[in-house]
Amino acid sequence: MITLENLSKSFRSTAGSVVALDDVTLDVPAGVIAGVVGPAGAGKSTLARVLSLRERPDSGVFRLDGRNTGALDERSLRLARSRIGVVPAGESLLGQRTAAGNIALPLEQAGMDGPQRRERVGRVLDLIGLTDKAATYPADLTAGQRQRVAVARALIGEPDVVLADDPTGSLDADGAAGVLAVLDRARAELGATVLVATQDTSVVRRIADDVAVLEHGRILETGRLLELVRDQDSLVAQAVLPAIDGPVPHGYADVADVVLVGFAAVGSLLPEATSRFGTEIAVVGGGVTKFGETPVARFRLGLTGAGSDAALGWLSARGAAVHRHAVRELVAA
């Protein structure tokens, strides 16, 4: 659906040229939620503007469904823009319009007739769970509700792609959860491809299928989220997995850090390994979190007994990501 090939974008400033995007290559498959995560100034907002076809890159190619958007004529460019819904960063609603009026604005601008417009606005209000707030003005909505209305306005044209620039940045936990639920429903119920630019790694953990790490305008890491977290040295794993604090403990035959993905793995692999190989397995660090609805654990294990080596091999063969700490390292520590 979205393909970026060696994309670069710079801006002029009083200090000279500022590189916002530097040779960015990225693929976002159709129908996924992709997170682009990075600190302030990483280039996320510039990337969102390029993807919304409001900015042209200095070099490189942006393909939408295989078509080079840089080669589109003005009419084709307008049509391509109409397929992309944008949720801008910060407050964006018109204070003099109700929630329904804000959502309807793109349809009014497109010339859609009143009955059809009201029917579609009603469907989207139901999608975001704010049917009872249709006649409410932004000043009387919570921050989270206002952002859900902004997402609804991006969805009202039934876009193929939704771009959300820092959609939870100023929200409390409940407000953020409501916005992320709406973005997830947009993918599940409307079939939209969703790209979320954010500083908050918990956003990626809660809704993303794919993730890219952006820093100083460059993509440092990209891939499927649940594959990246299996590599405990990856930037994504370090950012989103439960932390393991403290030094590696002494007194065990083996010590290993393991990542377990899924209900069956988290719930049953360690007890089964204990019974199969006659080894004691102690969890000495780490914890369990969720990626969407999928539980993911990172544990530091201390193993004792003759079967500890076989137990770790068995865990690895059943999909656990196992990083072993050599006993000689522990003695030196």
Side-chain angles (χ1 to χ4, degrees):
M1 169 66 76
I2 295 172
T3 302
L4 307 181
E5 300 170 0
N6 308 110
L7 207 72
S8 294
K9 178 71 178 178
S10 298
F11 297 98
R12 299 295 301 174
S13 73
T14 55
S17 180
V18 176
V19 178
L21 298 174
D22 186 3
D23 198 36
V24 170
T25 294
L26 180 66
D27 287 306
V28 180
V32 306
I33 298 180
V36 177
V37 62
K44 301 185 301 297
S45 293
T46 301
L47 180 63
R49 289 195 299 272
V50 169
L51 292 176
S52 67
L53 299 175
R54 267 62 181 180
E55 296 267 6
R56 286 189 178 272
D58 299 330
S59 61
V61 176
F62 165 28
R63 299 185 191 277
L64 187 61
D65 276 349
R67 297 185 68 189
N68 180 356
T69 59
L72 298 178
D73 58 32
E74 196 59 37
R75 179 177 178 277
S76 298
L77 190 61
R78 286 195 301 271
L79 288 172
R81 284 175 180 153
S82 72
R83 298 175 54 203
I84 302 170
V86 179
V87 185
E91 296 281 353
S92 62
L93 301 185
L94 299 177
Q96 70 274 25
R97 279 180 166 256
T98 63
N102 270 282
I103 295 168
L105 184 59
L107 302 183
E108 293 176 19
Q109 293 170 337
M112 182 179 289
D113 65 74
Q116 186 178 0
R117 190 170 67 237
R118 286 189 291 273
E119 191 272 335
R120 191 179 292 187
V121 169
R123 290 205 312 267
V124 176
L125 278 166
D126 180 63
L127 179 78
I128 67 171
L130 290 178
T131 299
D132 61 334
K133 301 294 184 181
T136 305
Y137 287 89
D140 296 318
L141 297 172
T142 68
Q145 289 170 340
R146 290 195 295 273
Q147 192 68 328
R148 282 151 66 189
V149 172
V151 174
R153 187 176 56 190
L155 297 175
I156 195 65
E158 300 180 347
D160 299 319
V161 175
V162 177
L163 304 176
D165 186 5
D166 196 22
T168 62
S170 60
L171 303 181
D172 61 19
D174 288 342
V179 170
L180 295 180
V182 170
L183 291 172
D184 197 29
R185 291 185 72 184
R187 184 269 302 272
E189 298 183 23
L190 304 180
T193 301
V194 180
L195 189 143
V196 179
T198 182
Q199 297 183 56
D200 186 354
T201 55
S202 72
V203 170
V204 171
R205 178 174 53 77
R206 290 160 73 179
I207 65 168
D209 305 300
D210 290 16
V211 62
V213 179
L214 185 68
E215 193 167 323
H216 301 301
R218 296 186 66 88
I219 296 287
L220 303 184
E221 191 171 85
T222 183
R224 302 291 289 179
L225 178 60
L226 290 179
E227 293 175 4
L228 287 172
V229 298
R230 294 177 186 274
D231 177 4
Q232 298 181 62
D233 293 327
S234 75
L235 296 172
V236 171
Q238 293 173 37
V240 300
L241 287 176
I244 297 178
D245 299 319
V248 177
H250 294 242
Y252 294 99
D254 279 291
V255 175
D257 296 341
V258 302
V259 175
L260 306 170
V261 177
F263 289 97
V266 172
S268 65
L269 280 186
L270 297 186
E272 188 171 349
T274 297
S275 63
R276 275 176 175 267
F277 299 98
T279 184
E280 294 183 13
I281 301 178
V283 175
V284 295
V288 181
T289 187
K290 273 192 172 184
F291 290 88
E293 295 302 315
T294 302
V296 177
R298 176 164 66 171
F299 294 136
R300 177 160 289 169
L301 304 180
L303 296 89
T304 55
S308 62
D309 182 73
L312 289 175
W314 182 85
L315 289 171
S316 180
R318 275 146 187 82
V322 178
H323 174 74
R324 300 176 67 164
H325 297 275
V327 173
R328 60 178 177 273
E329 293 176 358
L330 306 186
V331 174

